[in-house]
Amino acid sequence: MIGQLVFGSGGPKQGERERLYGLPVLRVRADMDSFWWERRVKRAGRALFRGGARRVLAPRGFSCWPLLSEYGLAPVDPGPFLRAQSPELALALLERRGAAPDRSTVVLRGARADWEMTRAAVALCSQVRHLVIDAPKGGEELARWLRGEFGVPILPRSEGGEAALRFHPDGSRGEEPTLELYGHTPDLAGLSLSAPRLEEGDREDLDLLAALYEFGRLNKEELKIT
């Protein structure tokens, strides 16, 4: 169950089961204008936990996560959603820089060559000139497999590129513009992801987009990168 914390007063004390763009959520309200706002947030946290929520959608800019974490609640992680869109984001970053993909090198950085990195490499290898796989664990094996399977030139880890995808905070850093695809406040190098069909205030809410995508309420065709 995904919880949703909204600001305001009223509503059942144990929350309301609603649908948010087709996604079932347990919605709880907290009056942030009250003198007792901290107590209200804690009460909302208890209600969300008792209702079965463990991950919570909150208004953008919400800064009281330590209060909710007391009840085992955490924000939705946009990382898996962003990593699923990483090939499209890399190509958009190349376009933003005025670099033709078939003349460009994209660097994939991470702690290990996992399924998410492999999926991105497979999608990109037919669209860019070179790839660099910079992952201490499994990177060389992935590079060999890509050469054998697709015949794509894989450059050494020491090489740079026109754009990079960084899948994990322990991955190395380079000098090229980099998409940081992890954490609650990912750095998308000036790009933004949106879903135009959503209401205006929700279109660029990465946590919401991630939840909708995870549960099949949003697909790639509905996303826009600018």
Side-chain angles (χ1 to χ4, degrees):
M1 170 64 69
I2 297 289
Q4 184 189 22
L5 176 67
V6 298
F7 296 158
S9 58
K13 292 183 179 180
Q14 299 306 313
E16 307 164 299
R17 295 188 180 273
E18 302 284 353
R19 285 192 172 270
L20 181 63
Y21 302 108
L23 175 68
V25 296
L26 177 65
R27 184 175 297 160
V28 175
R29 300 180 184 277
D31 186 1
M32 300 298 286
D33 293 328
S34 167
F35 179 79
W36 306 105
W37 65 268
E38 186 171 335
R39 185 179 300 177
R40 301 288 189 268
V41 171
K42 290 185 175 183
R43 179 185 296 171
R46 286 194 298 270
L48 288 165
F49 180 82
R50 290 170 180 170
R54 296 298 179 267
R55 293 181 295 163
V56 180
L57 297 167
R60 297 176 72 178
F62 180 70
S63 59
C64 300
W65 287 108
L67 297 178
L68 295 186
S69 68
E70 295 178 13
Y71 303 96
L73 302 173
V76 173
D77 179 6
F81 165 68
L82 291 174
R83 293 189 288 273
Q85 321 309 321
S86 59
E88 292 81 7
L89 286 166
L91 294 173
L93 183 54
L94 290 175
E95 181 180 359
R96 174 72 61 87
R97 299 195 65 204
D102 60 356
R103 298 182 180 179
S104 300
T105 298
V106 175
V107 185
L108 280 64
R109 304 185 187 277
R112 61 189 179 92
D114 56 11
W115 163 242
E116 292 176 321
M117 181 180 287
T118 300
R119 177 177 57 190
V122 169
L124 286 169
C125 67
S126 64
Q127 303 188 69
V128 300
R129 184 174 184 179
H130 297 122
L131 288 176
V132 174
I133 306 298
D134 186 358
K137 296 182 180 179
E140 292 184 4
E141 291 82 355
L142 175 56
R144 284 197 298 269
W145 179 78
L146 290 168
R147 289 190 194 100
E149 191 74 16
F150 302 101
V152 61
I154 307 296
L155 300 181
R157 287 176 57 187
S158 58
E159 296 289 333
E162 282 67 48
L165 299 170
R166 194 159 177 252
F167 289 80
H168 192 274
D170 290 339
S172 64
R173 293 182 181 273
E175 296 182 358
E176 59 277 308
T178 300
L179 295 158
E180 309 280 359
L181 306 174
Y182 53 84
H184 192 60
T185 56
D187 183 352
L188 298 184
L191 298 178
S192 63
L193 263 170
S194 64
R197 76 170 175 86
L198 304 187
E199 294 181 10
E200 185 173 354
D202 294 334
R203 291 171 187 168
E204 296 184 6
D205 186 334
L206 284 180
D207 292 4
L208 174 58
L209 298 185
L212 293 174
Y213 188 84
E214 177 183 346
F215 289 93
R217 305 299 178 178
L218 187 68
N219 57 53
K220 285 181 177 289
E221 291 69 28
E222 295 177 286
L223 296 172
K224 183 179 180 180
I225 301 174
T226 55

Short mmCIF file of all heavy atoms in Angstrom, two decimals, residues 37-65:
data_model
loop_
_atom_site.label_atom_id
_atom_site.label_comp_id
_atom_site.label_asym_id
_atom_site.label_seq_id
_atom_site.Cartn_x
_atom_site.Cartn_y
_atom_site.Cartn_z
N TRP A 37 1.53 21.46 14.50
CA TRP A 37 1.76 20.77 13.23
C TRP A 37 2.63 19.52 13.39
O TRP A 37 2.39 18.50 12.72
CB TRP A 37 2.42 21.72 12.23
CG TRP A 37 3.79 22.18 12.61
CD1 TRP A 37 4.12 23.29 13.31
CD2 TRP A 37 5.02 21.51 12.31
NE1 TRP A 37 5.48 23.38 13.48
CE2 TRP A 37 6.07 22.29 12.87
CE3 TRP A 37 5.35 20.36 11.64
CZ2 TRP A 37 7.41 21.93 12.78
CZ3 TRP A 37 6.69 19.99 11.53
CH2 TRP A 37 7.70 20.77 12.10
N GLU A 38 3.61 19.56 14.28
CA GLU A 38 4.47 18.39 14.45
C GLU A 38 3.67 17.20 14.98
O GLU A 38 3.83 16.06 14.53
CB GLU A 38 5.61 18.72 15.42
CG GLU A 38 6.63 17.61 15.56
CD GLU A 38 7.85 18.05 16.36
OE1 GLU A 38 8.14 19.27 16.39
OE2 GLU A 38 8.49 17.17 16.95
N ARG A 39 2.77 17.48 15.92
CA ARG A 39 1.91 16.43 16.45
C ARG A 39 0.98 15.90 15.36
O ARG A 39 0.72 14.69 15.28
CB ARG A 39 1.10 16.99 17.62
CG ARG A 39 0.24 15.97 18.33
CD ARG A 39 -0.52 16.60 19.48
NE ARG A 39 0.40 17.18 20.47
CZ ARG A 39 -0.02 17.85 21.54
NH1 ARG A 39 -1.32 18.05 21.74
NH2 ARG A 39 0.85 18.33 22.41
N ARG A 40 0.53 16.81 14.47
CA ARG A 40 -0.35 16.38 13.39
C ARG A 40 0.39 15.46 12.40
O ARG A 40 -0.16 14.49 11.91
CB ARG A 40 -0.88 17.61 12.63
CG ARG A 40 -1.66 18.62 13.47
CD ARG A 40 -3.03 18.08 13.86
NE ARG A 40 -3.85 19.11 14.47
CZ ARG A 40 -3.91 19.36 15.78
NH1 ARG A 40 -3.18 18.63 16.61
NH2 ARG A 40 -4.69 20.32 16.25
N VAL A 41 1.65 15.78 12.12
CA VAL A 41 2.43 14.93 11.21
C VAL A 41 2.63 13.55 11.82
O VAL A 41 2.52 12.52 11.14
CB VAL A 41 3.78 15.60 10.87
CG1 VAL A 41 4.67 14.63 10.09
CG2 VAL A 41 3.55 16.86 10.04
N LYS A 42 2.94 13.52 13.11
CA LYS A 42 3.13 12.23 13.78
C LYS A 42 1.84 11.42 13.79
O LYS A 42 1.86 10.20 13.60
CB LYS A 42 3.65 12.44 15.20
CG LYS A 42 5.08 12.94 15.25
CD LYS A 42 5.57 13.01 16.69
CE LYS A 42 7.04 13.39 16.76
NZ LYS A 42 7.56 13.40 18.15
N ARG A 43 0.74 12.10 14.01
CA ARG A 43 -0.55 11.39 13.99
C ARG A 43 -0.81 10.82 12.61
O ARG A 43 -1.28 9.70 12.47
CB ARG A 43 -1.67 12.35 14.39
CG ARG A 43 -3.06 11.70 14.37
CD ARG A 43 -4.14 12.73 14.65
NE ARG A 43 -4.00 13.28 15.99
CZ ARG A 43 -4.71 14.32 16.45
NH1 ARG A 43 -5.57 14.92 15.63
NH2 ARG A 43 -4.54 14.75 17.67
N ALA A 44 -0.49 11.60 11.57
CA ALA A 44 -0.65 11.11 10.20
C ALA A 44 0.26 9.91 9.95
O ALA A 44 -0.14 8.94 9.31
CB ALA A 44 -0.32 12.23 9.21
N GLY A 45 1.48 9.95 10.49
CA GLY A 45 2.39 8.83 10.33
C GLY A 45 1.85 7.57 10.97
O GLY A 45 1.93 6.48 10.37
N ARG A 46 1.30 7.68 12.15
CA ARG A 46 0.71 6.51 12.81
C ARG A 46 -0.43 5.94 11.98
O ARG A 46 -0.56 4.72 11.82
CB ARG A 46 0.22 6.89 14.21
CG ARG A 46 1.33 7.09 15.23
CD ARG A 46 0.77 7.11 16.65
NE ARG A 46 -0.16 8.21 16.84
CZ ARG A 46 0.22 9.43 17.26
NH1 ARG A 46 1.50 9.69 17.49
NH2 ARG A 46 -0.68 10.38 17.45
N ALA A 47 -1.27 6.83 11.46
CA ALA A 47 -2.41 6.37 10.67
C ALA A 47 -1.95 5.67 9.39
O ALA A 47 -2.51 4.64 9.00
CB ALA A 47 -3.32 7.55 10.32
N LEU A 48 -0.92 6.19 8.75
CA LEU A 48 -0.41 5.57 7.54
C LEU A 48 0.17 4.19 7.84
O LEU A 48 -0.08 3.22 7.11
CB LEU A 48 0.65 6.46 6.90
CG LEU A 48 0.14 7.74 6.23
CD1 LEU A 48 1.28 8.71 5.97
CD2 LEU A 48 -0.59 7.41 4.93
N PHE A 49 0.94 4.10 8.92
CA PHE A 49 1.54 2.81 9.28
C PHE A 49 0.47 1.79 9.62
O PHE A 49 0.52 0.64 9.16
CB PHE A 49 2.50 3.00 10.46
CG PHE A 49 3.17 1.73 10.89
CD1 PHE A 49 4.29 1.26 10.22
CD2 PHE A 49 2.67 1.00 11.96
CE1 PHE A 49 4.90 0.08 10.61
CE2 PHE A 49 3.28 -0.18 12.35
CZ PHE A 49 4.39 -0.64 11.68
N ARG A 50 -0.49 2.18 10.44
CA ARG A 50 -1.54 1.25 10.84
C ARG A 50 -2.40 0.83 9.66
O ARG A 50 -2.96 -0.25 9.64
CB ARG A 50 -2.42 1.89 11.92
CG ARG A 50 -1.70 2.05 13.26
CD ARG A 50 -2.50 2.90 14.22
NE ARG A 50 -1.81 3.05 15.51
CZ ARG A 50 -2.18 3.89 16.46
NH1 ARG A 50 -3.25 4.69 16.27
NH2 ARG A 50 -1.50 3.96 17.59
N GLY A 51 -2.47 1.71 8.64
CA GLY A 51 -3.24 1.38 7.45
C GLY A 51 -2.50 0.50 6.46
O GLY A 51 -3.05 0.13 5.43
N GLY A 52 -1.25 0.18 6.77
CA GLY A 52 -0.49 -0.72 5.91
C GLY A 52 0.49 -0.05 4.97
O GLY A 52 1.16 -0.72 4.18
N ALA A 53 0.60 1.28 5.03
CA ALA A 53 1.55 1.98 4.15
C ALA A 53 2.96 1.88 4.72
O ALA A 53 3.16 1.91 5.94
CB ALA A 53 1.14 3.44 4.00
N ARG A 54 3.93 1.76 3.83
CA ARG A 54 5.34 1.80 4.23
C ARG A 54 6.09 2.84 3.41
O ARG A 54 7.11 3.34 3.83
CB ARG A 54 5.98 0.43 4.05
CG ARG A 54 5.39 -0.66 4.96
CD ARG A 54 5.58 -0.32 6.43
NE ARG A 54 5.00 -1.34 7.30
CZ ARG A 54 3.77 -1.28 7.79
NH1 ARG A 54 2.97 -0.25 7.49
NH2 ARG A 54 3.31 -2.22 8.58
N ARG A 55 5.59 3.14 2.22
CA ARG A 55 6.14 4.20 1.39
C ARG A 55 5.07 5.28 1.22
O ARG A 55 3.88 4.96 1.12
CB ARG A 55 6.58 3.67 0.03
CG ARG A 55 7.77 2.71 0.12
CD ARG A 55 8.16 2.23 -1.26
NE ARG A 55 7.12 1.44 -1.88
CZ ARG A 55 7.07 1.17 -3.18
NH1 ARG A 55 7.98 1.66 -4.01
NH2 ARG A 55 6.10 0.43 -3.67
N VAL A 56 5.52 6.53 1.19
CA VAL A 56 4.57 7.64 1.23
C VAL A 56 4.87 8.67 0.16
O VAL A 56 6.04 9.04 -0.06
CB VAL A 56 4.60 8.32 2.62
CG1 VAL A 56 3.62 9.49 2.67
CG2 VAL A 56 4.29 7.32 3.73
N LEU A 57 3.83 9.13 -0.49
CA LEU A 57 3.89 10.29 -1.37
C LEU A 57 3.54 11.52 -0.54
O LEU A 57 2.51 11.53 0.14
CB LEU A 57 2.91 10.14 -2.53
CG LEU A 57 3.16 8.99 -3.50
CD1 LEU A 57 1.95 8.78 -4.40
CD2 LEU A 57 4.40 9.26 -4.33
N ALA A 58 4.39 12.52 -0.58
CA ALA A 58 4.16 13.73 0.18
C ALA A 58 4.23 14.93 -0.75
O ALA A 58 4.78 14.84 -1.85
CB ALA A 58 5.21 13.87 1.30
N PRO A 59 3.69 16.07 -0.34
CA PRO A 59 3.81 17.29 -1.17
C PRO A 59 5.27 17.60 -1.46
O PRO A 59 6.16 17.37 -0.64
CB PRO A 59 3.16 18.37 -0.29
CG PRO A 59 2.21 17.62 0.59
CD PRO A 59 2.88 16.31 0.87
N ARG A 60 5.52 18.12 -2.64
CA ARG A 60 6.88 18.46 -3.03
C ARG A 60 7.47 19.47 -2.05
O ARG A 60 6.81 20.43 -1.66
CB ARG A 60 6.90 18.99 -4.45
CG ARG A 60 6.43 17.95 -5.47
CD ARG A 60 6.37 18.51 -6.87
NE ARG A 60 7.71 18.72 -7.43
CZ ARG A 60 7.94 19.17 -8.66
NH1 ARG A 60 6.91 19.47 -9.46
NH2 ARG A 60 9.16 19.32 -9.10
N GLY A 61 8.70 19.25 -1.66
CA GLY A 61 9.34 20.13 -0.69
C GLY A 61 9.10 19.73 0.75
O GLY A 61 9.61 20.39 1.67
N PHE A 62 8.36 18.66 1.00
CA PHE A 62 8.11 18.20 2.36
C PHE A 62 9.43 17.85 3.03
O PHE A 62 10.25 17.11 2.48
CB PHE A 62 7.20 16.97 2.32
CG PHE A 62 6.88 16.40 3.67
CD1 PHE A 62 6.06 17.08 4.55
CD2 PHE A 62 7.40 15.17 4.06
CE1 PHE A 62 5.75 16.54 5.80
CE2 PHE A 62 7.10 14.63 5.29
CZ PHE A 62 6.27 15.31 6.16
N SER A 63 9.67 18.39 4.21
CA SER A 63 10.98 18.24 4.86
C SER A 63 10.92 17.54 6.21
O SER A 63 11.90 17.57 6.96
CB SER A 63 11.62 19.62 5.04
OG SER A 63 10.79 20.46 5.84
N CYS A 64 9.79 16.93 6.52
CA CYS A 64 9.62 16.34 7.86
C CYS A 64 9.72 14.82 7.85
O CYS A 64 9.09 14.14 8.66
CB CYS A 64 8.28 16.76 8.45
SG CYS A 64 8.09 18.54 8.63
N TRP A 65 10.53 14.28 6.95
CA TRP A 65 10.66 12.83 6.87
C TRP A 65 11.17 12.20 8.17
O TRP A 65 10.78 11.06 8.49
CB TRP A 65 11.55 12.46 5.69
CG TRP A 65 10.86 12.65 4.37
CD1 TRP A 65 11.12 13.62 3.45
CD2 TRP A 65 9.77 11.90 3.85
NE1 TRP A 65 10.26 13.51 2.38
CE2 TRP A 65 9.42 12.46 2.60
CE3 TRP A 65 9.05 10.80 4.31
CZ2 TRP A 65 8.39 11.96 1.82
CZ3 TRP A 65 8.02 10.29 3.54
CH2 TRP A 65 7.70 10.87 2.30
#
